[in-house]
Amino acid sequence: MTALSRARTGNRRSKTLAIALFLAPALALYVVFVLFPIAQAAHFSLYKWNGLTPLTEFIGLKNYQVALGSGGFVNAFGNNLLIVVLSLAIQIPFSLALAVMLNRRFPGRWVFRLLFFLPYVLSEAVTGIVFRLLLQPGAFVDSALTSVGLGSLVQDWLGDPAIVMLTLFVIVSWKYFGFHMILMLAGLQGIPKELEEAALIDGADRRGAFRYVTLPLLGPTIRVSVFLSVIGALQLFDMVWVTTNGGPLNASTTMAIAMFKAGFKSQAMGYGSALAVLLFLVSLVVALAYQRFVLRRDTDGALTTFGG
Amino acid sequence: MSTRWRLAGAVAMISIVAAACGGSSATNAPTTAPTTAASTAASEAPAGSGSEAPSQAGGGAPVTVDWWHITTADPGKSDFQAIADAYTAAHPNVKINITVLENEAFKTKLATSIQAGDVPDLFQSWGGGAMAAQADAGALKDITSDISSWASTINPGALSIYQYNGKQYGVPWDMGMIGFWYNKDAFSKAGISAPPTTWADFLSDVSKLKASGIAPLAIAGQDKWPSMHLWTYLLLRIGGGDNLSQMIQSKNWNTDACTKAGDQVLALNKLDPYQPGYKSAVYNDEAAAVGNGKAAMELMGQWAPSVQMDQSADKKGLGDKLGWFPFPSVEGGAGAPTDGVGGGNGIAVGKDAPPEALDFLKFFNSVDNGNKLNTDNVGLSTTVGTESSVKDPNLQAVLAGRGAAKFMQLYLDQATSPAMGQAINDATVALFLGASDPAKACQAITDAAATQ
């Protein structure tokens, strides 16, 4: 071994040491506050446990069996899924359309941008309370509809199990469309004007230029927007809790609400942990799959691919 | 790169939620509202100071008694402090360490303390299932023999709520009873001269009220427990107290009484008696409906008048127009018409409590201190001989009901384990919202008892 290569090895070793040193605090936090709790939850989920007594009643996978059977996890998952689907089908396209409009030059454009973005700044709890008040029977929404002659459309917005999820979707969308709009607006502004102009000069119509030039270039932004929207919908909790408490009759119970109710209301900590693990798995699978398959191009080179 | 961050964030967030759920384990709230009684109790006079001097016990070794309570509002808070001060003045060796906690914070902190094996000597309790879980965890002290010399000074029905497996783990200081609070004007406008005494009369009065243009009964579909109390009363009237105790013990709810009570709920539902928006209403909405004169009745505990006042538009509530009557008898039912559903506040005794803690508990429940809590409207004292200090006519009616009850059922969602209480709330509200039938509801409760 030459002196030079020995020096290089030593260099590499100290570099590894430095990396380890710098990484250790973050790693320790991650282990203590992320990995360990996950393992704990998985452990608790195998017991019938009320959170007070020692862990003695090992019941295997029964909590999972109950959750997936009569326990209502499937119903809760369905409610989350509905929000996911509606968000992708309505909220994201709506935000995109607004972004495209607000990307044009016209006087007072910033006012609209500001107004549309404002709901995002409110906390979910405040949003929930405000809408709860607006949607009471005979309150603002109902009287507004009646006064413009649409009284026949009045519903028991938060009390009818058949429509409560749609009502909540509207509230969620109201709060988050501005955020997605800003994301896409930023994406649009990153696209050089010349490209669209070139397409127009080459004879494309406006629609074609948008479809074949702007939209593909906006791809990365849309994919991130979709990702955030899906993860947000899967973990929906605060706003629903404040607005409906998961009711009526569990019609608006989401996975997170089912978990909270089991753990903190029923004090069935073991069962609640099982729900938490299920929620974790669903989110993990969705997140990883989306990363691997949809965001692949955007994250090229930034993610370890295990040789793939 | 940013998406990777998001993923890490997402994972971290879920696992924290999961951990919160698995690890830290807050004791569940018995969601019923006795605490509202304490925190929203109408504030009248400030703390009085005419309390009897506690018995002199001589100077022993210094002792500290830790006491956690949740009476965060005055005059109750300062009353409690004054009682403790009076005791320590007479017992200079005893120091009483009071920790005042907000209700939810109390439950979380208590659960953590119990897990850590460091239980306060005295702490807020509602008795029933949550207390039983604490006893099972070995956190409580069996005080049956310690209090035997003065147990007879406490209302026996209230005292029994703090027993579990024949052992006494705590002592009540407040106990009320659920009954119908009604708008006298609305009743007379509907041509009803006296409150109903039978269920059949009740149903026909509901029809009369409905015809007179007012919502007869306010309930809270989202909070569930208000309507659950109505169903409990039907169970109690139809099957009787022993039968209900048996159902709670055996966890088998597939009983005749259960389905019959459900049938009567459906009979009531058929009259469409509830206020607009009842399905998504919370308890405060219910109280507002009655307080604003939009609904004629609600079935609620002794705290109802003050919450109605708080929630009404003019902050005055119904005033003199408000009346109280006990739940009517059900024809052919096995239960006595005087039996009640109630609950209240008490003090549980932690496993390592010194004798001084029990001596203080005795002092806390003296007639003088009970009178003070009554006159300050902090609660309805459970000490025998304090009844005359209750001046409000409606509270006197509640107290008369409590006194007449031979059998007192603790609020069902507190009498059972929290898991079962939740299941009972869920199953009964489904009945009231017309989404279930009696047999299904009874089966759902039985199933929940078996699985959780």
Side-chain angles (χ1 to χ4, degrees):
Chain A
M1 207 181 263
T2 64
L4 183 66
S5 76
R6 202 170 315 148
R8 202 175 280 153
T9 319
N11 228 346
R12 198 180 298 146
R13 203 171 287 154
S14 70
K15 203 172 176 185
T16 318
L17 192 68
I19 290 176
L21 269 178
F22 279 114
L23 216 52
L27 209 60
L29 280 179
Y30 192 77
V31 169
V32 171
F33 291 108
V34 180
L35 298 183
F36 179 66
I38 294 174
Q40 279 286 68
H43 180 213
F44 293 150
S45 71
L46 303 176
Y47 290 83
K48 179 174 173 173
W49 185 48
N50 69 2
L52 291 179
T53 49
L55 280 176
T56 47
E57 252 188 287
F58 183 83
I59 53 169
L61 294 176
K62 184 145 176 248
N63 280 330
Y64 291 93
Q65 215 178 331
V66 172
L68 297 173
S70 62
F73 183 80
V74 178
N75 162 50
F77 179 65
N79 285 337
N80 282 110
L81 210 60
L82 183 70
I83 296 286
V84 169
V85 170
L86 288 176
S87 294
L88 298 189
I90 299 173
Q91 186 192 8
I92 300 283
F94 179 72
S95 305
L96 177 61
L98 273 184
V100 170
M101 273 195 276
L102 291 185
N103 198 33
R104 304 246 161 90
R105 279 186 186 285
F106 61 91
R109 177 170 71 157
W110 65 274
V111 177
F112 287 96
R113 286 186 182 178
L114 188 68
L115 281 180
F116 292 151
F117 190 67
L118 266 185
Y120 180 68
V121 181
L122 285 180
S123 80
E124 291 210 352
V126 171
T127 313
I129 289 171
V130 167
F131 273 92
R132 206 187 137 70
L133 292 173
L134 293 178
L135 290 166
Q136 290 299 307
F140 177 79
V141 172
D142 288 1
S143 30
L145 281 174
T146 313
S147 67
V148 295
L150 293 172
S152 59
L153 289 181
V154 168
Q155 303 277 341
D156 190 355
W157 303 106
L158 296 172
D160 186 345
I163 63 164
V164 65
M165 278 316 285
L166 298 177
T167 310
L168 286 171
F169 167 71
V170 171
I171 304 175
V172 171
S173 299
W174 178 84
K175 178 157 163 46
Y176 286 104
F177 82 91
F179 170 69
H180 293 290
M181 180 198 79
I182 289 286
L183 275 186
M184 298 204 208
L185 208 47
L188 282 173
Q189 279 167 354
I191 300 172
K193 284 267 168 294
E194 295 81 8
L195 293 175
E196 205 187 32
E197 279 166 12
L200 291 177
I201 290 168
D202 284 347
D205 56 0
R206 279 211 170 272
R207 181 189 283 184
F210 177 76
R211 168 71 187 82
Y212 294 104
V213 178
T214 311
L215 205 53
L217 286 171
L218 202 56
T221 312
I222 294 176
R223 286 191 287 271
V224 169
S225 201
V226 165
F227 179 67
L228 294 179
S229 182
V230 169
I231 289 293
L234 286 178
Q235 298 184 4
L236 195 57
F237 177 80
D238 322 29
M239 186 149 38
V240 180
W241 184 253
V242 171
T243 318
T244 67
N245 237 290
L249 305 168
N250 288 329
S252 63
T253 296
T254 62
M255 292 186 287
I257 284 181
M259 174 187 84
F260 181 81
K261 273 189 168 167
F264 292 90
K265 289 284 164 195
S266 299
Q267 217 183 311
M269 285 291 166
Y271 179 62
S273 298
L275 291 178
V277 169
L278 287 173
L279 169 56
F280 170 69
L281 289 179
V282 168
S283 299
L284 188 70
V285 166
V286 169
L288 285 182
Y290 199 81
Q291 293 261 330
R292 283 279 164 229
F293 300 113
V294 184
L295 292 180
R296 186 169 213 162
R297 274 198 308 186
D298 309 323
T299 54
D300 241 3
L303 288 182
T304 323
T305 48
F306 298 109
Chain B
M1 201 51 210
S2 86
T3 52
R4 184 154 214 217
W5 263 110
R6 295 287 168 191
L7 172 65
V11 172
M13 223 143 79
I14 309 160
S15 52
I16 287 167
V17 175
C21 194
S24 64
S25 73
T27 318
N28 162 40
T31 34
T32 347
T35 46
T36 339
S39 54
T40 58
S43 43
E44 287 178 355
S49 51
S51 81
E52 153 203 38
S55 58
Q56 210 75 30
V63 176
T64 304
V65 174
D66 282 316
W67 176 25
W68 292 6
H69 72 73
I70 59 164
T71 309
T72 51
D74 273 329
K77 186 180 166 190
S78 36
D79 279 358
F80 281 17
Q81 186 66 53
I83 292 173
D85 290 346
Y87 185 83
T88 47
H91 300 80
N93 64 318
V94 180
K95 188 170 176 284
I96 297 179
N97 230 346
I98 297 184
T99 308
V100 188
L101 293 157
E102 186 276 327
N103 187 25
E104 294 302 319
F106 161 75
K107 286 168 186 155
T108 315
K109 194 172 157 105
L110 183 68
T112 318
S113 303
I114 288 178
Q115 280 176 337
D118 182 22
V119 190
D121 302 318
L122 301 171
F123 57 91
Q124 164 71 27
S125 178
W126 297 271
M131 189 199 74
Q134 292 161 358
D136 283 340
L140 302 182
K141 187 189 185 87
D142 174 8
I143 57 168
T144 320
S145 58
D146 299 273
I147 66 157
S148 57
S149 65
W150 53 278
S152 59
T153 64
I154 307 290
N155 176 302
L159 198 60
S160 69
I161 285 173
Y162 297 83
Q163 283 161 7
Y164 171 58
N165 286 342
K167 292 175 182 158
Q168 194 78 37
Y169 289 107
V171 175
W173 56 267
D174 159 62
M175 169 93 177
M177 183 167 131
I178 303 253
F180 280 108
W181 296 92
Y182 74 107
N183 184 331
K184 291 177 186 164
D185 277 9
F187 269 52
S188 57
K189 205 182 283 172
I192 304 164
S193 50
T197 55
T198 68
W199 181 247
D201 284 350
F202 178 83
L203 290 179
S204 82
D205 286 352
V206 163
S207 305
K208 283 181 200 162
L209 286 163
K210 178 97 186 160
S212 79
I214 189 171
L217 184 62
I219 62 172
Q222 181 170 317
D223 275 350
K224 302 175 186 170
W225 52 266
S227 48
M228 189 269 302
H229 288 322
L230 204 159
W231 179 78
T232 311
Y233 256 122
L234 284 168
L235 264 181
L236 196 56
R237 292 282 184 272
I238 291 170
D242 291 343
N243 182 58
L244 185 51
S245 305
Q246 177 62 30
M247 284 160 66
I248 294 170
Q249 281 278 314
S250 68
K251 298 183 176 177
N252 177 16
W253 291 70
N254 285 320
T255 60
D256 201 32
C258 186
T259 45
K260 275 187 178 158
D263 287 338
Q264 293 311 315
V265 171
L266 297 191
L268 179 61
N269 278 351
K270 214 177 272 170
L271 305 176
D272 190 17
Y274 313 120
Q275 84 277 23
Y278 68 95
K279 285 182 178 176
S280 57
V282 295
Y283 166 53
N284 282 350
D285 300 330
E286 169 185 326
V290 180
N292 288 329
K294 304 265 196 234
M297 290 184 274
E298 65 168 330
L299 184 71
M300 194 44 65
Q302 66 280 8
W303 56 86
S306 58
V307 182
Q308 285 171 14
M309 213 150 60
D310 259 12
Q311 297 297 323
S312 63
D314 56 6
K315 298 284 168 202
K316 288 191 183 124
L318 294 176
D320 292 346
K321 292 189 288 178
L322 185 68
W324 188 88
F325 64 91
F327 197 91
S329 66
V330 175
E331 299 80 346
T338 50
D339 288 350
V341 173
N345 297 287
I347 298 177
V349 182
K351 63 181 164 78
D352 301 320
E356 284 78 3
L358 285 149
D359 192 48
F360 171 70
L361 204 52
K362 179 185 174 185
F363 172 67
F364 184 85
N365 278 302
S366 69
V367 172
D368 279 5
N369 286 331
N371 282 338
K372 183 197 272 190
L373 298 183
N374 276 346
T375 42
D376 286 353
N377 226 341
V378 178
L380 285 175
S381 172
T382 49
T383 305
V384 177
T386 58
E387 291 78 5
S388 57
S389 59
V390 173
K391 299 295 179 215
D392 180 87
N394 284 321
L395 289 181
Q396 279 173 350
V398 172
L399 209 55
R402 189 186 87 181
K406 295 267 186 306
F407 177 90
M408 186 67 87
Q409 173 60 52
L410 175 62
Y411 312 127
L412 264 190
D413 57 353
Q414 287 188 12
T416 57
S417 72
M420 203 158 159
Q422 204 63 29
I424 292 173
N425 275 335
D426 284 346
T428 50
V429 86
L431 269 179
F432 280 88
L433 267 53
S436 183
D437 58 59
K440 229 160 72 184
C442 300
Q443 184 64 47
I445 298 170
T446 311
D447 286 351
T451 52
Q452 282 180 28

